[in-house]
Amino acid sequence: MKARWLSMVFLPFSSFLSCILAIPQLIVPSNNIPPSIEHRLVDLKSFEENVCADTFSSVSNLNTSVTADPPIPRIPGFEMNFTFDKSKPLRAFEIYQTAIQMMYDFAQRAWGQIVLAFDSKQFNNYNVLILFINTQPPTAPDQLQVMHCVAALYRAIVAMTDGVLFYELRSQLGMHSANIGGLSITPIDDPRIRATEPSGTSLEDDAKDVSIEKDIDSVSDMAKGEIEDPIYPSFGIKFQFLGKSIQSKEVSMAILEALTAAAPHPVIQGCQELWVSSPDGGCAIFIESVHSVHPFTYQWATRALILLFQKIIVPQKNFGDIHLELSFRGHIFGDLRMIRTVAGKNSTGLLASER
């Protein structure tokens, strides 16, 4: 079952109107524009002019900041570049939380689904907007698809993290040197957001969390508990923190990595196991099915990841080793473990390659 649709930005491009009628499997814009981003619509035309050149030139030379390929099948011919505006800073954790939710939403959709426009949901008055737009006419052979958005979002967040470049980002997306769309990660610039921003955090604070390793022997809260999915009440999670702390950046990137790895798989496909680590190797996630009368699919694997982040880790501000027992109608059918790893090893010394 697919997750509910994101609200979409209506794009004032005449070609997109014909796309809606002409192309199947579209993520279709909505006329219900969220008030917090309505003012940004005036910028879309200029954004289109900036990223929609007739040719997609010098892309490979601009992609040097990417240090890790996404954990997905290679997309032959896919290219992207990055442009950062350091006059417009963003908060690292706000970017992570927004990107993780967007990646979860992509993971609920078909890998080859065509995207016209896709914008992020807004969280807790976070001052971050992630936006994809399709710049191709409906007759073009290459169209912006979910697979391109997944690859682009992953590479953008890795580039921001590796370079501690938490600023406005704009990117051209191309196939075989032809532009197919654009990605932007920008401040919302809504006075109502600025008025309610939490105090005591800054870009510098976020950068410190990203760049400084915590004491390897530090201990997190050994809390345990149980949650019920607010959307799927039959899906339950019991959790137990195991006492070792992990950098919040490593946790966020490991969850993003896991959702990215799950995205190519249909939600109805059985998930026997999903093992990933963060790009820097500081956190690993292991998801496995447990024999049950209920099939453990990628729908539930990704659901466990998003609930782990949004309903357990973030509310408790507890970033550490954790074990989740996943159940459906009271029957255990899945298992998730997140552990701290150091230089490619976990706290027991087991190499990730030896899992």
Side-chain angles (χ1 to χ4, degrees):
M1 180 180 293
K2 300 292 185 182
R4 57 190 177 88
W5 298 88
L6 281 176
S7 59
M8 300 301 159
V9 179
F10 177 78
L11 299 178
F13 307 146
S14 59
S15 61
F16 286 0
L17 298 178
S18 60
C19 281
I20 295 172
L21 300 177
I23 301 177
Q25 276 201 322
L26 298 179
I27 295 179
V28 182
S30 167
N31 289 325
N32 298 321
I33 302 166
S36 60
I37 63 172
E38 185 173 8
H39 67 285
R40 294 199 64 82
L41 295 181
V42 297
D43 296 332
L44 288 177
K45 183 61 179 177
S46 61
F47 181 41
E48 179 198 28
E49 292 170 351
N50 289 334
V51 302
C52 301
D54 292 333
T55 59
F56 198 81
S57 59
S58 303
V59 180
S60 298
N61 294 333
L62 297 173
N63 205 18
T64 55
S65 60
V66 178
T67 58
D69 289 326
I72 59 174
R74 182 174 175 271
I75 306 172
F78 179 65
E79 304 163 312
M80 66 182 298
N81 61 18
F82 303 116
T83 300
F84 293 93
D85 185 346
K86 291 189 175 182
S87 69
K88 297 178 180 179
L90 296 163
R91 291 191 170 114
F93 193 70
E94 294 184 358
I95 293 174
Y96 290 144
Q97 184 149 343
T98 306
I100 284 170
Q101 175 65 53
M102 179 173 259
M103 194 66 81
Y104 168 77
D105 287 317
F106 280 135
Q108 308 313 299
R109 291 164 170 75
W111 190 234
Q113 188 172 0
I114 294 173
V115 178
L116 289 184
F118 203 89
D119 72 88
S120 60
K121 294 175 181 176
Q122 186 184 330
F123 300 99
N124 303 322
N125 290 317
Y126 287 175
N127 187 31
V128 177
L129 174 66
I130 303 178
L131 174 65
F132 285 91
I133 61 169
N134 187 327
T135 57
Q136 285 285 67
T139 55
D142 290 318
Q143 296 286 337
L144 183 66
Q145 300 174 37
V146 166
M147 68 177 75
H148 305 127
C149 296
V150 168
L153 181 60
Y154 176 89
R155 289 179 174 178
I157 301 304
V158 170
M160 284 182 156
T161 302
D162 283 354
V164 195
L165 292 169
F166 298 105
Y167 306 100
E168 177 177 284
L169 174 149
R170 293 182 184 269
S171 175
Q172 292 175 291
L173 311 180
M175 281 293 293
H176 307 292
S177 299
N179 183 274
I180 60 171
L183 161 65
S184 66
I185 303 177
T186 62
I188 295 176
D189 294 330
D190 187 332
R192 291 169 293 182
I193 301 298
R194 290 196 298 270
T196 56
E197 281 185 341
S199 59
T201 59
S202 66
L203 177 67
E204 290 73 20
D205 294 330
D206 286 335
K208 288 177 183 178
D209 183 58
V210 167
S211 60
I212 296 178
E213 291 290 342
K214 291 183 178 179
D215 181 357
I216 194 61
D217 295 320
S218 60
V219 179
S220 68
D221 185 358
M222 303 256 315
K224 63 181 178 179
E226 187 173 352
I227 64 170
E228 185 179 276
D229 191 327
I231 296 179
Y232 304 106
S234 296
F235 182 52
I237 295 178
K238 291 183 179 180
F239 65 89
Q240 169 74 64
F241 283 96
L242 304 177
K244 289 288 188 178
S245 67
I246 310 174
Q247 269 192 298
S248 61
K249 181 262 293 191
E250 293 295 330
V251 169
S252 301
M253 292 302 294
I255 291 176
L256 184 71
E257 186 94 9
L259 289 169
T260 305
H265 301 276
V267 291
I268 61 173
Q269 179 182 333
C271 178
Q272 296 301 312
E273 60 183 26
L274 179 64
W275 294 355
V276 303
S277 63
S278 59
D280 286 346
C283 178
I285 293 176
F286 311 95
I287 303 176
E288 296 179 316
S289 65
V290 175
H291 181 70
S292 171
V293 295
H294 301 289
F296 185 70
T297 65
Y298 278 93
Q299 176 187 7
W300 304 118
T302 56
R303 193 70 190 152
L305 287 163
I306 197 69
L307 291 175
L308 166 64
F309 191 68
Q310 295 183 349
K311 300 298 183 182
I312 301 175
I313 292 175
V314 173
Q316 297 193 29
K317 297 181 175 64
N318 196 350
F319 296 83
D321 289 5
I322 189 171
H323 174 228
L324 271 61
E325 187 180 84
L326 313 174
S327 63
F328 189 83
R329 295 179 181 171
H331 297 279
I332 298 172
F333 71 153
D335 186 270
L336 185 155
R337 294 176 186 270
M338 183 174 72
I339 62 173
R340 186 180 67 196
T341 54
V342 182
K345 297 184 179 182
N346 64 22
S347 55
T348 67
L350 179 66
L351 284 170
S353 61
E354 298 171 353
R355 297 195 289 266

